[in-house]
Amino acid sequence: MKVENLVVGVIGLGMGRAHLEGAIKYGAQVGLICDTNPAKLKEWGNHNNIPEEKWTTDWHDIVNNKDINVVIIATPDQQHREQIEACLEAGKHIMCEKPLALTREDIDAIVKAVEAHPECKFMVGQICRFTPAFVKAKKIIESGAIGDIYFVESEYAHDYQHMFEGGKKHWRADPVRNGVVGGGCHAVDLIRWLIGDDPNEIYAYGTHKLLPEVPYHDANIAIMKFPNEIMSKVFVSTGCKRDYTMRTLVYGTKGTLIFDNRSDTMQGFFADEKGHGASGKPVIIPVDINNHNATAEFKEFADCLVNDTPIATTVYEGAKTIVACLSIVEASNTGKIINPDYNF
Ligand SMILES: NC(=O)c1ccc[n+]([C@@H]2O[C@H](COP(=O)([O-])OP(=O)(O)OC[C@H]3O[C@@H](n4cnc5c(N)ncnc54)[C@H](O)[C@@H]3O)[C@@H](O)[C@H]2O)c1
C-alpha cells in the first residue's frame, strides 16, 4: 500500500483538526470529516479545502464508507470505546486519541476488540512520544549518557478553568473523566516510556481547591515504584495558575536531564571522569518546540500501514498508562497503596 491509498476519516474536529492536517501534509486522502457541530465542519473543511460533500455530522457515515480505510478518533474520551468497536467491526485501521478510555471495563473491552481484529492496525495517540524535547531526552537516555535511571519526575499542569465558565456543561466535568486519567495520562505515559517499564506500586494524594465545577480532585501527586530500584513522582493539576507545562527531570547514575514541552532548550548535567556531578555546569541542548506534533504522529501510523512496521503505542501501551492513572485515582481516594493489574 502507498500513502496516497490511505483514505482517512476524522471523527471530532477539536484535536482532530491537527490530525487531519497531519494526514493531509503526509499525503493521505481525506475520505470524510465528521463533527456534530456544523460550524466546526465549515471552519475546518473550508480551511483545508475539503468539499462539502465530504462533511458529515454522523460518525456512522465514516464507519459505513467502504473507501475509508483509516479512522482517526478524536471525540470526547467517553465515546472512544463505542467508536473503536464499530470501526474495528467495519475493518478500519484506527488511530485513537489518548486516553484510550476512562474505565477499566472499557479498557478491557477495547483490548479484546483489538485482539479480535488482527487485520486492523491500532495506534493510541500518546502525542508526548513525538514532542521534540521528549524524543531527544529518550535518545540521550538510550545512549547511556546519564547512566541508569533511578528517579523520574514529571507533571501535567494545565488550567482547565475556562472550560467550565458560564455554567457550560463540559464533557471534562464528568466524574470518570478526572484530571489524572484525562490529562495526567500524558505525564504518566511519558514516565513509563522514559523508564521503559511499568510502575508496580503507587501511592497518591489529591486536593480540590481550584475547580469547584468538577467532581474530582483538581490536583494530585503520586509516588510510583518501578522495578530495578527506580522511583518516580507525578504531579497533575487541572486548575493551576500558569501556562500549560510538563516539566520533567530524569536522574541517572551518571547525569541528569531537565526539560519541558514549552522551552527551546533542555539542560543536561553530566558527571566528570571521577563521577562527580556537583561542579558541572549545565550543558544547554537546543530543541524544537512542537507540543502537538500530530504530523509526526500520523507519519508513524502511516509508515506502519504502508511498510508494515510495528506500532510503538499499541493498545497495550495505551491500556497500561490508563491502568496506572486509575491506580493513582484509587490511591488518592482511598489512602491505600495500589498495585496496578496489567493483565488484560
Ligand atoms: N493529544 C493531545 O495533546 C490532546 C489534546 C487535547 C485533547 N486530546 C484528546 O482528544 C479528544 C478530543 O478532545 P478535544 O480537546 O479536541 O475536545 P473538544 O471538545 O475541543 O473537541 C471535540 C470535538 O468533537 C466533536 N464531537 C463530540 N462528539 C462527537 C460525535 N459523536 N461525533 C462527531 N463529533 C463529535 C465536538 O463537537 C467537538 O468539536 C479527547 O479524547 C481528548 O482527551 C488530546
Side-chain angles (χ1 to χ4, degrees):
M1 194 182 338
K2 293 188 172 144
V3 70
E4 55 268 29
N5 298 128
L6 302 178
V7 185
V8 177
V10 181
I11 314 177
L13 295 175
M15 190 61 198
R17 67 181 187 256
H19 296 297
L20 171 67
E21 287 172 3
I24 293 170
K25 202 165 163 187
Y26 196 60
Q29 292 183 54
V30 178
L32 286 172
I33 56 172
C34 173
D35 201 292
T36 45
N37 180 349
K40 295 258 186 162
L41 283 169
K42 193 168 176 197
E43 182 179 5
W44 296 108
N46 287 338
H47 183 78
N48 290 293
N49 297 318
I50 298 165
E52 219 172 314
E53 63 265 22
K54 293 190 174 185
W55 306 355
T56 177
T57 52
D58 183 354
W59 62 270
H60 297 91
D61 290 342
I62 289 186
V63 175
N64 295 328
N65 185 307
K66 298 266 178 289
D67 295 331
I68 291 176
N69 49 17
V70 178
V71 182
I72 294 170
I73 298 176
T75 46
D77 311 336
Q78 295 87 338
Q79 303 183 33
H80 291 178
R81 174 180 169 183
E82 185 190 2
Q83 291 165 356
I84 289 169
E85 288 175 339
C87 289
L88 288 170
E89 280 300 313
K92 315 289 187 200
H93 303 297
I94 301 169
M95 184 163 81
C96 179
E97 261 298 346
K98 56 46 70 184
L100 182 62
L102 299 171
T103 64
R104 180 65 198 234
E105 191 189 343
D106 283 359
I107 292 285
D108 286 342
I110 291 169
V111 171
K112 264 208 183 80
V114 172
E115 285 175 345
H117 289 279
E119 75 284 9
C120 302
K121 300 228 174 179
F122 184 90
M123 172 170 171
V124 58
Q126 299 291 168
I127 206 163
C128 288
R129 300 195 191 193
F130 300 88
T131 303
F134 301 161
V135 171
K136 190 160 271 186
K138 177 78 174 162
K139 282 199 177 126
I140 294 171
I141 292 164
E142 284 176 347
S143 77
I146 64 164
D148 291 337
I149 294 176
Y150 62 90
F151 178 64
V152 180
E153 174 180 328
S154 190
E155 67 186 6
Y156 174 84
H158 199 169
D159 186 5
Y160 285 8
Q161 186 176 313
H162 65 282
M163 297 179 191
F164 310 116
E165 277 167 352
K168 277 183 289 179
K169 205 169 158 32
H170 198 285
W171 58 268
R172 283 182 170 90
D174 180 342
V176 291
R177 207 282 179 187
N178 59 71
V180 174
V181 178
C185 67
H186 278 306
V188 171
D189 189 70
L190 177 65
I191 291 170
R192 288 187 53 252
W193 180 55
L194 293 176
I195 292 175
D197 214 331
D198 307 313
N200 51 23
E201 206 172 283
I202 296 180
Y203 190 68
Y205 300 97
T207 60
H208 195 174
K209 288 188 163 188
L210 291 143
L211 298 176
E213 301 87 349
V214 303
Y216 46 77
H217 292 134
D218 52 42
N220 295 78
I221 188 158
I223 318 166
M224 307 194 283
K225 185 166 166 267
F226 283 71
N228 300 317
E229 288 199 280
I230 301 175
M231 304 176 292
S232 173
K233 188 175 92 186
V234 63
F235 172 63
V236 178
S237 173
T238 44
C240 62
K241 299 305 147 206
R242 60 158 303 166
D243 61 336
Y244 173 33
T245 183
M246 286 183 62
R247 189 181 55 105
T248 304
L249 291 90
V250 182
Y251 285 84
T253 50
K254 292 184 186 166
T256 303
L257 298 174
I258 304 176
F259 50 93
D260 62 68
N261 54 340
R262 308 296 291 270
S263 306
D264 61 3
T265 56
M266 63 193 296
Q267 291 182 57
F269 296 85
F270 302 97
D272 64 20
E273 61 284 355
K274 289 185 181 154
H276 297 163
S279 57
K281 284 212 171 84
V283 177
I284 305 299
I285 304 163
V287 289
D288 294 333
I289 303 175
N290 191 345
N291 195 36
H292 286 123
N293 199 359
T295 305
E297 198 172 30
F298 184 82
K299 181 181 179 311
E300 168 146 320
F301 190 46
D303 283 347
C304 296
L305 297 173
V306 172
N307 303 318
D308 204 24
T309 50
I311 287 170
T313 50
T314 59
V315 72
Y316 301 105
E317 284 299 288
K320 284 179 181 180
T321 287
I322 301 310
V323 166
C325 291
L326 289 169
S327 302
I328 293 174
V329 175
E330 188 181 347
S332 301
N333 291 343
T334 61
K336 291 186 178 149
I337 294 173
I338 307 297
N339 302 106
D341 171 8
Y342 300 110
N343 291 307
F344 303 108

